[in-house]
Amino acid sequence: MSFDLFHFGGDTWRYLSMPVISAVVGYITNVVAIRMMFHPIEFVGLVRPYLGWQGIVPRKASKMTGIAVDTITESLITEAEMFGRIKPDEVATEIEGPVLVLVDDVIDTVMSRHHAWLWSSLPDGLRATLKWRLRAQAPEIVASVTREVQDNIHYLFDLKSMITRVLVREKRLLNHVFLKTGHDEFVFIGRSGAYFGFAFGLIQMLVWIFWQPWWLLPAFGVLVGLATNWLALKMIFNPKRGRRIGPFRIQGLFFKRQNEVAADYGDLVADHIITPEQIVAEMLDGPYGDKLRALIRREVDSAIDHAMRNTRTVVDWTLGADDYERLKTEAIDEVIAELPAMLARLTGYAERTMAIRQTLVERLQSLTPHQFEAMLRPAFEEDEWILIAVGAVLGFMVGWFQLIVVFSSVFNDHFGSLW
């Protein structure tokens, strides 16, 4: 087959299309491979896991979650560190106003519910004195509970369990973590597919000018699909430490962006995973919620007895010891019921004091390359072969397309006309 580089006829355009098509194949195969890593969230197909597909990250959510949890709790921050930064007296001051209002409301509610006539008959000064004594105990209750929580944090709060529950409950969040922190790497994979594909396409074109076996185009399609994904992954994670080659400094893109990735990861975790709201929910509704309530119940019970110590004889004579205990239990139940609202008022203070975002970013930036790689590489490592194989299959199909449509004369010479 004759070929004249300086005569732009039909054959010339077919040849010149080869690096362009190869670049498109490289780009599309890489983008499709990335897409298949994260989507669909749920399995789509006929028979799991063979006839259908589920994104690699969602499919391995348990393992990915475990890696994320271990990275955060073993290398970045612990529950003891977070809660150790809280000052009991500051907590008491932070919610003093709402707590004092709560004390008044609980006393009025419980007494009016069971002894309305007696309560309303008491002189205003006596009612005010009772309230004052109980209100005086409130800041100490808050500070004492805070100290108890700090001293027994490992029995009252499990950071690993909280992170796991958040990520399992919100499947899309795990995807978001990987997509956000690896955004530039995924863009690079797509673009590099085009660059590498174009380079392979030039080689393919030069070979095809002088040698045209029918299998060359499908074979080059496979090569482009394989090599572009493989090279992109290698360039992201290698070398881990920067190396000087003449005037150039070579380093894996992921490690070169460590400070930037650390900021993105820290923001994501602080905004969506280890948040004051999630911490409060875990402490109240998690597996140790009953222990926290028991601790608060004990502290409030002791504080009420302390406040009423000078009037206990009169109270027992007026109400009876059993009724006093019943009223006290009901008052404590009212306080416990208001816990979510009280703790919600501490979210701003907790966010400032725990300094979760700042701590995560600083620790991430100081990780060794091997530790840092463990944040994102597991999303690729075990199933890299799938991403590369997808590229190979798509490249193979496009190679046949080139042979059948673009260079149909070669196809017809070996297989006959399809139409």
Side-chain angles (χ1 to χ4, degrees):
M1 184 179 293
S2 63
F3 179 76
D4 185 357
L5 283 173
F6 301 100
H7 176 68
F8 282 73
D11 283 345
T12 304
W13 288 112
R14 289 190 184 95
Y15 282 89
L16 292 177
S17 74
M18 297 178 78
V20 176
I21 292 175
S22 186
V24 172
V25 171
Y27 179 79
I28 291 176
T29 55
N30 284 16
V31 169
V32 168
I34 293 168
R35 180 77 180 174
M36 291 177 68
M37 284 180 59
F38 299 99
H39 300 282
I41 301 292
E42 303 293 343
F43 178 81
V44 175
L46 300 176
V47 180
R48 183 188 294 268
Y50 305 107
L51 297 179
W53 185 255
Q54 181 181 16
I56 293 172
V57 171
R59 176 159 50 86
K60 297 198 167 185
S62 295
K63 180 173 183 179
M64 299 299 179
T65 297
I67 291 168
V69 169
D70 289 343
T71 298
I72 294 170
T73 58
E74 294 177 9
S75 302
L76 305 181
I77 199 167
T78 65
E79 53 265 84
E81 184 177 13
M82 289 191 306
F83 282 88
R85 294 169 177 169
I86 291 175
K87 308 298 182 187
D89 293 338
E90 291 179 355
V91 172
T93 301
E94 196 75 20
I95 60 172
E96 181 178 13
V99 167
L100 295 181
V101 172
L102 174 62
V103 170
D104 286 352
D105 289 345
V106 168
I107 294 171
D108 286 332
T109 299
V110 173
M111 291 302 296
S112 298
R113 185 182 298 157
H114 296 285
H115 296 284
W117 178 84
L118 175 62
W119 186 242
S120 62
S121 299
L122 290 177
D124 292 342
L126 181 55
R127 285 203 303 270
T129 299
L130 290 174
K131 287 183 178 181
W132 176 82
R133 287 177 177 173
L134 289 169
R135 290 173 65 175
Q137 294 295 309
E140 181 53 37
I141 294 173
V142 174
S144 181
V145 168
T146 304
R147 284 190 289 270
E148 287 269 5
V149 169
Q150 289 177 317
D151 292 342
N152 300 280
I153 189 61
H154 293 297
Y155 301 100
L156 297 170
F157 179 76
D158 188 338
L159 182 59
K160 282 190 174 184
S161 295
M162 187 197 78
I163 297 172
T164 301
R165 265 188 285 277
V166 172
L167 292 176
V168 169
R169 184 174 64 244
E170 302 175 35
K171 293 182 179 180
R172 296 181 185 276
L173 184 55
L174 187 62
N175 264 8
H176 187 51
V177 169
F178 283 108
L179 285 168
K180 175 71 174 176
T181 54
H183 174 266
D184 284 20
E185 284 68 33
F186 297 133
V187 170
F188 171 79
I189 287 175
R191 290 176 179 172
S192 66
Y195 303 147
F196 293 139
F198 188 83
F200 282 119
L202 288 174
I203 298 171
Q204 180 189 41
M205 182 187 72
L206 293 173
V207 173
W208 188 253
I209 289 173
F210 302 104
W211 187 43
Q212 297 185 349
W214 67 267
W215 50 264
L216 186 66
L217 296 181
F220 256 93
V222 172
L223 177 64
V224 170
L226 282 171
T228 54
N229 276 1
W230 183 81
L231 284 170
L233 290 170
K234 286 296 180 185
M235 291 179 69
I236 287 174
F237 295 107
N238 293 283
K240 293 180 176 60
R241 300 186 184 276
R243 297 177 184 173
R244 282 283 177 190
I245 300 179
F248 303 103
R249 186 175 185 274
I250 308 298
Q251 186 178 18
L253 179 61
F254 189 58
F255 304 104
K256 188 183 296 184
R257 291 199 319 116
Q258 181 163 349
N259 288 347
E260 184 182 340
V261 173
D264 288 339
Y265 195 87
D267 286 344
L268 272 170
V269 174
D271 290 339
H272 300 286
I273 301 175
I274 310 180
T275 65
E277 292 80 8
Q278 297 285 10
I279 292 171
V280 168
E282 179 69 15
M283 293 190 73
L284 291 175
D285 304 320
Y288 304 122
D290 289 342
K291 291 183 178 180
L292 176 63
R293 288 180 173 82
L295 186 157
I296 293 172
R297 186 176 295 277
R298 186 177 70 246
E299 291 291 337
V300 175
D301 184 283
S302 175
I304 292 175
D305 284 342
H306 182 75
M308 301 297 290
R309 66 189 184 281
N310 294 329
T311 57
R312 182 63 187 273
T313 302
V314 176
V315 170
D316 286 349
W317 178 77
T318 306
L319 302 177
D322 291 341
D323 204 14
Y324 169 75
E325 292 296 330
R326 182 168 63 88
L327 292 176
K328 187 170 63 171
T329 298
E330 193 164 321
I332 295 171
D333 290 341
E334 293 283 343
V335 171
I336 296 293
E338 292 296 321
L339 266 182
M342 288 295 106
L343 291 177
R345 293 177 177 272
L346 288 170
T347 54
Y349 170 79
E351 187 170 359
R352 294 191 307 272
T353 307
M354 288 181 169
I356 295 169
R357 187 189 314 273
Q358 179 182 349
T359 302
L360 292 175
V361 172
E362 289 176 354
R363 301 274 169 80
L364 282 164
Q365 291 176 345
S366 65
L367 290 179
T368 66
H370 285 286
Q371 291 172 320
F372 194 64
E373 182 182 30
M375 288 173 48
L376 187 65
R377 189 65 187 270
F380 297 96
E381 200 162 27
E382 281 191 12
D383 293 304
E384 279 181 3
W385 69 271
I386 295 179
L387 307 181
I388 295 171
V390 167
V393 170
L394 292 176
F396 181 73
M397 293 168 62
V398 173
W400 275 101
F401 170 82
Q402 284 182 292
L403 181 62
I404 295 171
V405 177
V406 181
F407 294 97
S408 57
S409 60
V410 177
F411 178 85
N412 293 338
D413 288 345
H414 290 275
F415 301 101
S417 178
L418 288 177
W419 44 74

